[in-house]
Every structure is written in C-alpha cells, then in structure tokens.
Amino acid sequence: VTVQTNGRLLSRPENLEKLSAMPRKDAEFVIAIHGPDAATHDLITRRQHSFDQTLAALDGVLALGYPVCAKVVLSKYNIAVLPETLDLLETHGVEEAIVAYPHAEEFPVDLMHEIMPDYGAVRKAVQEAVQHARHLRVFWETIPFCVLPDTETRSRSIDLSLLENDLRSGGTFIEMTMQGDTIDWKQSRREIKTHFHSCQECLLQKICEGAWAEYAEVHGESGIQPVSDMAVVEALVDGL
C-alpha cells in the first residue's frame, strides 16, 4: 500500500505509535513537502506550522523504518528554492524524491497564471536541482521529455516508467479518490493532456503524453522544444 499524505497527522506521537504496529513491508509513504522552510511551505499550504508538522512526520516515519519518498509539486512560489528543498530532504535522510508539475482542473485561468511556472523556468530549475541531489534519487513527474534537459533526467521520468509498464504488461493503475470512486488513471491522464502544433516536429511525440491541458491555456507553447536529435531518442529507448 502506498500512502500519499501531507503527514501532518503523523506528527502526533499517538498516531506514530499506531503506525509502528503495522508490518514495514506492507506500506510505503509519499510525503508532500513544498519548500525548504516554513515561510515557503506554509505559504503554499495556508496552514501555519504545517512545515514543522510535515518534517516531524517525515522524521518519525523514517525512524520507524518505513520506505519514504518525498514529493515536491512545483509552483511559482517554490521553484526558485527547489535546490534548497532537495538539500533539506537529504539532510533528513530521505533517499528518493518526486518533483512534479502542478495539475489543476477547472481552476480559474488567472489563478493558474499565479501558480504555474512555464517550462523554460522548469528546465532551468531541473538543471540547477540535479547538481544539488548528490545522494538523493530524484524522479520527474508530468514534465514533458523535451523540457527535461538531458538523458539522465529523462531516464528518471515517471512518464517513462508508465510507458515501460504499458509496453511490458499492458496493465493499468487504479486510483481511489477521497469520495471512494475508482479511476483508471492510465486512461484518464491521457484525456486531460495535450500536444502542441510544434510537437509534430518532435521525434518523441509518439511516446510522449504531452502537457496538462491547462498549461496550454496559461502558457501556450512557451518552453516547448521539439526533439530533433536521434541520439536523444536512442538513449531514451535504450532505457526501456
């Protein structure tokens, strides 16, 4: 079982005590953290002291011996401090992290403008971040291949892992919502993504899911760089 959480309730000792009774092999945790300090994290969560609570949960779950992966959702509020956020995670003993591009269906366009960085800023942030992740394994989620700057970062794309799963097993991923509904995420994610006109020139188009549809509403094709180098394609395919 994978539990994705902000971890705040797990900062309470009584909840960690209950968790300690569960076999370690039965669960892993993905804990969201939004910045390297309370000023950034609490601004995004809009909950005072949430940074301290999340860090306490992170340390507590790790101390119990459960696998923990941190998750950072990029936004205009935290993209400039991504390297410092990854440094913080390493300091706390986290070994894996996911950095994801934000997804917000049915949000007002002006609000998405306020939150969503363009892909040019994302590419720069990724380049800076990988230099800080000395021991941390960082995976990239819902960021198009053409935005990731090199073979190493593309090889750690979760989109690539999903593609590999499709090719090898044809299986799917069923997600349960808070309302108890189940979603075929393999199918659903493709329905809410889009390609751009310039993607027609990209050698990776057929294996790339594209961008979230709302990105086009906010930024158009900004930051999209079609891949024309066959060596890039060969390196990516070799990784499958």
Side-chain angles (χ1 to χ4, degrees):
V1 176
T2 299
V3 180
Q4 185 162 315
T5 175
N6 59 29
R8 293 175 62 203
L9 290 177
L10 290 173
S11 66
R12 300 177 182 176
E14 63 270 24
N15 289 334
L16 282 175
E17 185 177 354
K18 293 175 184 177
L19 183 63
S20 67
M22 185 171 17
R24 306 299 184 267
K25 64 181 178 60
D26 289 346
E28 61 181 0
F29 290 82
V30 178
I31 298 179
I33 187 159
H34 301 291
D37 49 44
T40 305
H41 184 96
D42 292 4
L43 174 67
I44 292 171
T45 63
R46 301 185 181 185
R47 291 293 184 271
Q48 192 175 11
H49 307 305
S50 60
F51 177 73
D52 294 334
Q53 293 167 342
T54 293
L55 275 189
L58 190 71
D59 292 339
V61 174
L62 282 169
L64 289 176
Y66 287 100
V68 173
C69 176
K71 186 165 187 177
V72 184
V73 178
L74 293 175
S75 72
K76 288 184 177 180
Y77 298 115
N78 66 5
I79 192 168
V81 292
L82 178 60
E84 290 82 358
T85 305
L86 298 181
D87 284 344
L88 174 74
L89 294 173
E90 285 197 349
T91 299
H92 282 260
V94 177
E95 296 181 353
E96 291 188 352
I98 296 170
V99 177
Y101 192 83
H103 170 51
E105 288 185 85
E106 300 180 359
F107 272 44
V109 173
D110 58 344
L111 180 58
M112 292 192 291
H113 266 289
E114 183 180 333
I115 295 171
M116 299 171 65
D118 69 39
Y119 284 148
V122 172
R123 184 179 294 106
K124 180 181 178 182
V126 172
Q127 289 172 325
E128 294 176 353
V130 294
Q131 298 175 18
H132 283 252
R134 294 174 293 275
H135 306 294
L136 188 68
R137 284 175 52 82
V138 183
F139 299 89
W140 312 96
E141 184 176 8
T142 60
I143 301 174
F145 295 133
C146 70
V147 177
L148 296 172
D150 54 37
T151 300
E152 176 65 19
T153 52
R154 294 187 192 105
S155 71
R156 292 190 177 180
S157 166
I158 290 181
D159 290 13
L160 187 65
S161 299
L162 292 171
L163 173 64
E164 182 178 13
N165 179 68
D166 289 350
L167 292 174
R168 294 185 185 278
S169 68
T172 190
F173 175 71
I174 302 297
E175 182 179 75
M176 179 172 288
T177 69
M178 292 180 66
Q179 291 75 31
D181 302 321
T182 56
I183 298 173
D184 181 345
W185 184 234
K186 174 181 174 181
Q187 179 62 31
S188 295
R189 70 176 188 266
R190 291 171 178 166
E191 294 173 354
I192 50 181
K193 287 189 172 184
T194 188
H195 285 92
F196 303 95
H197 179 74
S198 60
C199 293
Q200 298 175 21
E201 306 167 17
C202 183
L203 295 175
L204 295 176
Q205 182 189 12
K206 292 189 181 300
I207 64 170
C208 177
E209 292 189 349
W212 293 121
E214 64 267 22
Y215 182 90
E217 295 181 57
V218 176
H219 294 298
E221 297 196 23
S222 177
I224 294 294
Q225 296 183 355
V227 173
S228 58
D229 186 352
M230 184 56 70
V232 172
V233 180
E234 292 172 350
L236 199 61
V237 172
D238 285 346
L240 292 175

